[in-house]
Amino acid sequence: MIKQLETRCRQFLQGLQTSDTAHDIDHIERVVKLATYLCKQEEGKLEVVAPAAWLHDCVSLPKNHPRRRQASSLAAEKAIDFLKSIAYPTHYLSEIHHAIEAHSYSAGIKPTSLEAKIVQDADRIDALGAIGISRCIQVGASLQRTLYCDVDPMCEARQPDDSRYTIDHFFTKLLNIADTVHTDAAKREAEQRSQYMKAYLAQLSHELEPSR
């Protein structure tokens, strides 16, 4: 069932148009891979985790979209409609809906099931490490934000403002993610990736020092 689901989900997602390259099919496949790993580690229900991971971003709105906070709820509704259309077992649908709705950082919905926690953890971990740095810069460029504040790039004497500076997003969100994941396996991975990001910031600060 899971193999058939994978094929149908990939076909469904490839038929959707999106200009959000940070939430493209590559992002989704990374989240699926990590969620599957976490599911096995935590002994969750793959029948819930797999479709939720595949479809969690089937509605993806830009970071500056006025309905950004509602994107996960819209994705959950669209995902359930799709799963019904392929006759996915109905007794999993409620749990899948919750897992998709709760995955979003901006939605602020607390996951109440192990499976929802796994999907949320997998999605958040993809915002960390080398991939996370790349995605952060990618999003900032798409929104035409300046990479860093030339006066105080590491926010040492000012409040971070990630609506203006891409690097500020590390301080407003990314470096806090490791404290928000739920499962033990996710905590280990998030901490390792966070250390990599801190090393990147240290190197960036070093390279910018001569110009300050």
Side-chain angles (χ1 to χ4, degrees):
M1 182 176 67
I2 298 299
K3 275 294 183 183
Q4 292 176 345
L5 172 75
E6 180 178 293
T7 300
R8 298 296 292 272
C9 284
R10 185 178 281 109
Q11 291 171 344
F12 172 67
L13 293 168
Q14 288 173 342
L16 301 177
Q17 292 185 344
T18 178
S19 59
D20 186 355
T21 53
H23 296 87
D24 58 9
I25 190 67
D26 292 331
H27 160 70
I28 290 170
E29 290 186 344
R30 289 193 304 269
V31 170
V32 169
K33 183 177 180 180
L34 184 54
T36 300
Y37 167 76
L38 295 176
C39 189
K40 291 177 181 177
Q41 293 294 309
E42 304 294 334
E43 299 183 350
K45 289 182 279 191
L46 190 59
E47 296 86 353
V48 174
V49 169
W54 272 108
L55 301 170
H56 76 280
D57 273 343
C58 66
V59 173
S60 180
L61 301 176
K63 296 288 186 183
N64 58 350
H65 194 283
R67 299 188 68 190
R68 172 68 182 178
R69 291 178 181 272
Q70 301 169 29
S72 64
S73 295
L74 296 172
E77 294 296 331
K78 188 168 187 173
I80 297 305
D81 287 344
F82 166 71
L83 292 171
K84 287 179 179 178
S85 77
I86 64 170
Y88 197 75
T90 57
H91 56 281
Y92 294 123
L93 297 184
S94 177
E95 293 178 274
I96 294 168
H97 186 285
H98 172 64
I100 294 174
E101 191 174 38
H103 90 271
S104 170
Y105 194 98
S106 57
I109 298 172
K110 185 177 180 179
T112 59
S113 68
L114 172 61
E115 289 71 26
K117 291 174 181 178
I118 287 170
V119 175
Q120 188 186 87
D121 284 355
D123 183 62
R124 292 189 177 185
I125 288 174
D126 200 54
L128 300 177
I131 284 290
I133 293 170
S134 302
R135 291 178 68 211
C136 181
I137 294 173
Q138 195 173 33
V139 170
S142 71
L143 296 172
Q144 297 183 321
R145 291 172 180 165
T146 302
L147 182 59
Y148 59 88
C149 172
D150 58 355
V151 176
D152 184 5
M154 298 296 128
C155 302
E156 294 172 339
R158 65 180 179 86
Q159 289 296 313
D161 180 5
D162 60 2
S163 68
R164 295 182 64 189
Y165 307 111
T166 296
I167 292 301
D168 285 24
H169 194 56
F170 284 70
F171 303 104
T172 60
K173 176 183 175 182
L174 301 182
L175 294 179
N176 300 319
I177 286 178
D179 295 328
T180 71
V181 297
H182 304 278
T183 60
D184 290 339
K187 289 175 182 176
R188 291 191 293 270
E189 183 67 19
E191 181 58 32
Q192 192 246 346
R193 294 193 188 198
S194 294
Q195 291 303 318
Y196 182 90
M197 297 177 86
K198 290 175 183 177
Y200 165 79
L201 289 175
Q203 178 64 23
L204 179 62
S205 180
H206 169 74
E207 293 177 14
L208 294 176
E209 189 66 31
S211 64
R212 292 171 60 190

